């Protein structure tokens, strides 16, 4: 394909001297094609200067090795991140010192990988790519076929100027360095799907977990008011609700900020609907809730599963629980399933019972994770 362009008048701006460039002519260098294509599009390359006039010089090779070394460091720290993510102990255990370094080590290795990646890209651009100054006039309209061919030649020339073909060490180092970075991006996403991170983990229990007694038995936790007084079923009237806390030391303080629970006394008809929806397999998260209710009483976590705000506005007529922060609504009679707003997961339900003295107790801890988290993704 032959394209007619205008030549240069010597001062960097186009003149009326016609110039024909055959993009398919192998005798024409790619740079000449790029210059012609640029002039055709109203762009004048007024300055072009290679970083190294002599290709393959010792200085160029030394700079290429420096950039390659940076890419290898990117790969080293990226690989270290993936290894630490997989093998380093992260579960909370009393007195475990190694667990405390899990997050700092992940942050340090990922930070160093991204730091050296930035240095490698900047050094490559500043020290190896040629210096160029171009001037372009504005124009309107779509691009004709000739312009599209010109853009193709320009992009090919840009790839050629990266120097990967004549600097194979840079290409190999970049590939070796960026491959672990791709794994770094995928590791947390894939790793969170391999195994439930909440299983048997002390960090994901609340104040409702049964208390272990010195004799080896367990004691169920009572539902109490914020002043620590226990609650009987008669204390909550039909259609009413009450915020309850675990009856343990500091149960109503920030030490157990994940434990506030809404105890609701449903009307008989509504309780029958809720009880029917509590059978195995019908819940939003498929937990067996067939024995979670006590009579017409039901209890759900007050921590919204969207952003952790207190979902505490209970509407008796519709049996909906509203979170005032982002307007998520949960249907209490259907396993607190979200029916409106950004929340995508049901509120966890607390299993209820009454002890020998007639006070409410939690039969176990929550069976689902309280509040927003990274395991139950929308």
């Amino acid at each position: 394909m032959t394209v007619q362009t205008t030549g240069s008048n010597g001062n960097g701006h186009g003149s009326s001297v016609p110039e024909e460039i055959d993009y398919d002519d192998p005798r024409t260098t790619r740079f000449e094609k790029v210059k012609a294509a640029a002039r055709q599009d109203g762009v004048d390359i007024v300055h072009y200067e290679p970083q190294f006039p002599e290709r393959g010089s010792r200085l160029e090779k030394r700079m290429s090795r420096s950039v390659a070394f940076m890419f290898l460091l990117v790969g080293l720290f990226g690989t270290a991140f993936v290894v630490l993510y997989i093998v380093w102990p992260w579960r909370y255990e009393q007195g475990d010192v190694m667990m405390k370094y899990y997050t700092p080590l992940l942050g340090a290795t990922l930070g160093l990988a991204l730091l050296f990646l930035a240095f490698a890209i900047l050094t490559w651009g500043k020290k190896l790519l040629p210096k160029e100054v171009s001037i372009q006039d504005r124009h309107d309209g779509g691009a004709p076929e000739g312009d599209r061919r010109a853009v193709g030649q320009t992009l090919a020339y840009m790839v050629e100027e990266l120097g990967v073909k004549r600097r194979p060490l840079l290409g190999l180092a970049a590939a070796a360095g960026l491959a672990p970075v791709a794994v770094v991006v995928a590791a947390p996403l894939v790793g969170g799907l391999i195994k439930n991170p909440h299983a048997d983990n002390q960090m994901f229990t609340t104040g409702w977990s049964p208390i272990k007694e010195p004799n080896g038995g367990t004691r169920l936790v009572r539902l109490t008011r914020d002043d620590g007084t226990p609650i009987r079923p008669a204390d909550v009237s039909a259609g009413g609700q009450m915020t309850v806390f675990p009856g343990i030391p500091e149960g109503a303080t920030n030490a157990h900020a994940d434990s506030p629970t809404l105890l609701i006394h449903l009307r008989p008809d509504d309780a029958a609907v809720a009880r029917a929806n509590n059978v195995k397999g019908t819940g939003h998260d498929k937990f067996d809730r067939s024995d979670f209710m006590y009579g017409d009483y039901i209890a759900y976590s007050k921590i919204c599963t969207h952003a952790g705000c207190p979902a505490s506005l209970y509407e008796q007529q519709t049996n909906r629980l509203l979170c005032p922060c982002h307007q998520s609504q949960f249907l209490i009679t259907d396993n607190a399933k979200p029916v409106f707003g950004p929340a995508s997961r049901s509120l966890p339900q607390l299993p209820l019972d009454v002890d020998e003295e007639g006070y409410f107790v939690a039969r176990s801890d929550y069976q689902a994770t309280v509040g927003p988290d990274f395991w139950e993704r929308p």
Side-chain angles (χ1 to χ4, degrees):
M1 177 179 180
T2 301
V3 176
Q4 188 177 59
T5 67
T6 56
S8 175
N9 60 12
N11 60 4
H13 297 279
S15 68
S16 59
V17 180
E19 180 181 351
E20 291 187 355
I21 293 294
D22 187 356
Y23 288 116
D24 299 320
D25 187 356
R27 296 171 299 177
T28 307
T29 66
R30 180 166 280 124
F31 183 62
E32 291 175 337
K33 298 174 183 177
V34 169
K35 289 181 66 177
R39 285 194 296 270
Q40 177 190 3
D41 200 33
V43 178
D44 288 331
I45 301 177
V46 297
H47 178 75
Y48 184 88
E49 178 185 355
Q51 293 281 3
F52 304 97
E54 181 182 351
R55 291 198 171 190
S57 63
R58 295 180 59 184
L59 182 59
E60 181 182 8
K61 291 180 179 180
R62 183 164 63 248
M63 191 58 61
S64 298
R65 288 193 297 267
S66 299
V67 176
F69 179 68
M70 293 180 192
F71 276 118
L72 293 178
L73 288 178
V74 173
L76 174 64
F77 287 113
T79 303
F81 175 93
V82 175
V83 172
L84 290 171
Y85 180 80
I86 296 173
V87 305
W88 196 270
W90 61 272
R91 294 183 181 277
Y92 175 80
E93 294 182 8
Q94 191 70 26
D96 186 5
V97 179
M98 300 296 289
M99 178 275 303
K100 298 179 180 179
Y101 298 106
Y102 180 72
T103 300
L105 285 174
L106 290 183
T109 51
L110 180 59
L112 288 171
L114 297 179
L115 179 66
F116 281 109
L117 176 61
F119 282 157
I121 294 175
L122 288 174
T123 305
W124 194 336
K126 293 289 186 180
K127 300 298 183 181
L128 292 177
L129 295 183
K131 301 176 182 178
E132 179 181 313
V133 177
S134 300
I135 299 176
Q136 180 180 19
D137 296 330
R138 292 180 179 271
H139 60 84
D140 300 323
E145 175 64 22
D147 288 354
R148 291 195 290 269
R149 293 288 300 273
V151 170
Q153 292 292 331
T154 302
L155 293 176
Y157 181 72
M158 291 171 61
V159 173
E160 183 180 282
E161 284 300 299
L162 288 175
V164 176
K165 290 185 178 180
R166 58 188 179 86
R167 301 172 186 139
L169 177 63
L170 277 180
L172 293 175
L178 294 177
V181 174
V183 179
V184 165
V185 175
L189 299 176
V190 177
L193 299 174
I194 295 175
K195 185 177 180 181
N196 187 338
H198 308 319
D200 302 323
N201 194 325
Q202 185 176 346
M203 292 295 290
F204 299 101
T205 59
T206 71
W208 299 109
S209 182
I211 301 172
K212 294 182 179 180
E213 299 286 9
N215 60 6
T218 57
R219 176 169 57 88
L220 300 182
V221 178
R222 282 180 172 177
L223 279 62
T224 63
R225 301 175 177 84
D226 57 0
D227 60 1
T229 56
I231 302 169
R232 298 179 186 272
D235 295 337
V236 186
S237 59
Q241 50 85 21
M242 179 184 297
T243 299
V244 296
F245 306 90
I248 58 177
E250 299 183 328
T253 68
N254 285 338
H256 296 281
D258 56 356
S259 301
T261 300
L262 196 66
L263 175 64
I264 303 173
H265 186 179
L266 296 172
R267 294 181 174 86
D269 292 344
D270 296 331
V273 174
R275 196 174 297 108
N277 286 329
N278 256 13
V279 298
K280 185 176 181 180
T282 61
H284 183 62
D285 45 20
K286 306 305 179 185
F287 283 108
D288 183 2
R289 300 182 176 88
S290 57
D291 57 353
F292 275 26
M293 294 179 62
Y294 178 81
D296 295 343
Y297 297 85
I298 196 167
Y300 287 103
S301 169
K302 287 188 65 173
I303 311 301
C304 181
T305 54
H306 169 236
C309 299
S312 55
L313 302 180
Y314 176 57
E315 189 178 52
Q316 295 184 21
Q317 300 301 320
T318 61
N319 288 304
R320 292 190 178 191
L321 188 63
L322 172 68
C323 177
C325 291
H326 305 97
Q327 311 307 309
S328 292
Q329 296 182 23
F330 304 88
L331 186 58
I332 295 302
T333 54
D334 189 9
N335 303 289
K337 180 172 65 177
V339 293
F340 182 80
S344 61
R345 186 168 61 89
S346 296
L347 294 173
Q349 185 175 350
L350 186 69
L352 295 178
D353 204 348
V354 171
D355 62 15
E356 62 277 2
E357 297 183 31
Y359 294 110
F360 274 120
V361 293
R363 298 179 60 248
S364 70
D365 202 347
Y366 287 108
Q367 301 300 302
T369 307
V370 172
D373 66 336
F374 56 88
W375 180 253
E376 290 84 1
R377 292 190 179 92

